[in-house]
Amino acid sequence: MEEPAITPTASMAAKSTILPDVEASKLAPVAKGDKHLWGIYIFLCFISVIELYSASSREVTSAGMGVYGTIIRHASMLFAGFGLIYLLQRTHYRKLLLWIPIFAILSVVMMLYTTFWGEYINGARRSFRLVFISIQPSEFLKLSAAAVVALIMSQCQIKGGGVTRKGVSWAAGIILLFGGMLAPQGLTNTILLMCISFSMMIIGGIGVKKLMVVLFVYGAFFGGYLIFTNLRHTSAEQTEQVDAPRSARQGTWQKRISNYIGTGQPKYEEEINSENRQEMLGYIAQANSGGIGVGPGNSRETSRLPLAFTDYIYSIIVEELGLAGGLFVLILYLWLLARASAIASRCSRAFPALLVIGMALTIVFQALFHICIVTGVIPVSGQPLPLISKGGSSILVTSVAFGIMLSVSRFAVRTGSKKKDIKNEIEVLPEEIRAENPTQL
């Protein structure tokens, strides 16, 4: 019989708002913001400004915004993101308990609104306009899923290691809900969400048996969903129903997987057509680098490659900066994960440890998916490169993740610190999230 160290909340939002009154001195930072995280952020912003300006020539000529219009807008979003980082890194992570449920609920509401009334992008409703920004709720949903799973897993730790069944059920239910909402927009986002969440479950101490049960349930649910969409698409074709955006979307996954498998013919021998144009031009851009790069601003393919400034910006980076530049960008993201893991392993409490690793996984998995898509490792899909690709939602969400990681690096007490500091940290946290750090990183 499992005996949880902490009773999980019946209502996460309601209980998390009950925070103990503490002295201001107990909320003072125990360390400065992590220099490694700041360094990675600065490098990514620097690369972003240079490469996005180079990759935006197609947009400049088509939109009539002027030579500097795109980069000014992008720099404005980066500046807004920096403001979020500055505010969050000065905020004790304990205060985020009030905002995680609210953020998750807002993400779900935005997602529901987009599902029924959003704007069509590539055959699916993906965004809506808010003033002058195009909001893509899928980005917010992925981040909120990581934060909610971190909160639930930290609430449901068992003394001696492991997570309660109730905690696993709560986390699995949230992931299933969010994944089900993402599935109609694209399979890649759903898989990305699963990778982030399962990684957090493993790090949080879920047992192998419980993980296998969760995987079986998810496999059955999404297998049924794929069968249903396939049958619906087939029926629509047979009855010649006219519903172009939705019907076209239902067969997109199969087409992309078929194109990825190919016919055995080498890619460089394939003829470029409307279906593989983006993929092939992305490969051509990387090949044009010659291994050493053509130099910043000298990309040849940016004027031909569709969405070079978003979904395929890594191709432009490789073309201009060469193999070394492409590897440097990849190392920056892997360095981010390694640094977040180091911070998490030294936290004395479970909540900050799981929170910082969840934020890092959200950024790094998305970066890896983008790089794998562009280089042909996995089937083609649309994923921005965090903090580098153009996109208001992506930049804001990535900035929030960086701000939360920096907050944890400043305020979370380290394992092995003075007993007084650990005691003070325990006192500022609600009783239900005072569990010790379970991570073994």
Side-chain angles (χ1 to χ4, degrees):
M1 184 74 178
E2 293 176 340
E3 293 294 335
I6 301 165
T7 303
T9 59
S11 175
M12 183 174 57
K15 198 165 184 179
S16 293
T17 58
I18 304 175
L19 300 176
D21 294 328
V22 294
E23 299 176 5
S25 60
K26 292 182 180 180
L27 295 178
V30 296
K32 295 182 179 179
D34 189 81
K35 294 180 180 179
H36 293 259
L37 294 179
W38 275 118
I40 294 167
Y41 170 76
I42 292 171
F43 269 120
L44 289 176
C45 287
F46 182 71
I47 294 171
S48 175
V49 171
I50 294 175
E51 291 304 314
L52 186 85
Y53 180 66
S54 177
S56 298
S57 61
R58 184 185 180 97
E59 186 182 42
V60 168
T61 56
S62 63
M65 298 173 58
V67 177
Y68 301 107
T70 300
I71 196 63
I72 290 174
R73 185 173 60 185
H74 183 68
S76 300
M77 293 306 305
L78 289 176
F79 183 76
F82 175 78
L84 286 173
I85 293 176
Y86 180 76
L87 292 175
L88 286 170
Q89 63 94 27
R90 292 176 60 87
T91 303
H92 194 287
Y93 70 85
R94 163 248 197 193
K95 297 181 180 179
L96 298 176
L97 291 168
L98 296 169
W99 293 102
I100 289 176
I102 296 174
F103 186 74
I105 293 171
L106 288 176
S107 299
V108 170
V109 170
M110 289 192 297
M111 196 69 188
L112 290 173
Y113 176 84
T114 303
T115 300
F116 295 102
W117 300 287
E119 298 175 349
Y120 276 110
I121 301 176
N122 295 330
R125 295 187 188 272
R126 300 178 186 273
S127 66
F128 66 91
R129 300 293 300 182
L130 182 63
V131 192
F132 59 91
I133 301 177
S134 178
I135 301 295
Q136 293 197 355
S138 59
E139 300 297 321
F140 293 87
L141 204 66
K142 287 179 285 189
L143 185 72
S144 62
V148 170
V149 170
L151 179 57
I152 293 173
M153 299 289 283
S154 61
Q155 288 178 325
C156 301
Q157 293 294 309
I158 300 173
K159 287 183 178 179
V163 181
T164 65
R165 291 191 183 93
K166 185 173 288 188
V168 174
S169 299
W170 270 94
I174 292 294
I175 299 168
L176 191 61
L177 172 64
F178 288 6
M181 296 179 72
L182 286 173
Q185 290 195 0
L187 188 59
T188 307
N189 273 330
T190 305
I191 296 174
L192 180 57
L193 176 68
M194 296 300 173
C195 290
I196 295 168
S197 304
F198 287 154
S199 298
M200 291 187 64
M201 283 186 174
I202 294 170
I203 294 170
I206 185 175
V208 176
K209 292 182 179 180
K210 293 176 182 176
L211 183 63
M212 295 304 294
V213 171
V214 173
L215 288 172
F216 176 78
V217 173
Y218 288 167
F221 177 82
F222 286 106
Y225 176 80
L226 290 174
I227 293 173
F228 170 76
T229 55
N230 184 56
L231 291 174
R232 183 182 175 187
H233 178 56
T234 303
S235 175
E237 287 183 335
Q238 292 175 348
T239 57
E240 297 182 354
Q241 293 178 3
V242 180
D243 185 11
R246 293 182 182 273
S247 297
R249 186 65 202 168
Q250 290 165 0
T252 299
W253 303 339
Q254 293 178 344
K255 289 181 181 179
R256 287 178 174 176
I257 293 174
S258 298
N259 291 337
Y260 175 74
I261 296 173
T263 60
Q265 182 182 15
K267 286 291 184 181
Y268 58 84
E269 294 181 359
E270 291 185 11
E271 183 178 348
I272 299 178
N273 53 48
S274 59
E275 292 186 356
N276 67 4
R277 178 178 176 80
Q278 189 173 37
E279 176 186 6
M280 297 298 287
L281 291 179
Y283 296 151
I284 291 172
Q286 295 169 65
N288 187 48
S289 72
I292 59 175
V294 297
N298 295 321
S299 170
R300 183 188 68 190
E301 299 302 321
T302 180
S303 60
R304 298 199 301 163
L305 178 61
L307 300 179
F309 46 85
T310 52
D311 296 347
Y312 268 74
I313 196 168
Y314 190 73
S315 289
I316 306 303
I317 292 173
V318 173
E319 182 183 13
E320 295 191 346
L321 304 181
L323 178 62
L327 288 175
F328 179 71
V329 171
L330 174 60
I331 289 171
L332 282 177
Y333 289 111
L334 296 178
W335 182 13
L336 172 65
L337 181 59
R339 193 58 189 171
S341 300
I343 294 171
S345 65
R346 295 200 302 267
C347 291
S348 67
R349 302 296 101 188
F351 177 63
L354 293 172
L355 189 60
V356 70
I357 201 67
M359 298 299 101
L361 286 171
T362 303
I363 296 173
V364 176
F365 267 123
Q366 179 142 336
L368 292 178
F369 269 54
H370 174 99
I371 293 171
C372 287
I373 290 167
V374 169
T375 55
V377 176
I378 60 177
V380 173
S381 183
Q383 288 296 324
L385 189 60
L387 215 61
I388 294 181
S389 293
K390 175 195 170 185
S393 299
S394 179
I395 290 175
L396 293 178
V397 167
T398 304
S399 299
V400 169
F402 263 99
I404 292 174
M405 287 189 288
L406 286 165
S407 172
V408 172
S409 74
R410 293 188 73 207
F411 291 98
V413 176
R414 308 292 189 259
T415 302
S417 298
K418 296 179 180 180
K419 292 182 178 180
K420 180 181 178 181
D421 293 334
I422 296 177
K423 181 181 178 182
N424 287 341
E425 182 177 39
I426 293 174
E427 289 179 353
V428 303
L429 296 176
E431 184 178 355
E432 68 271 16
I433 60 166
R434 292 178 179 178
E436 293 184 3
N437 181 8
T439 60
Q440 300 292 326
L441 303 175

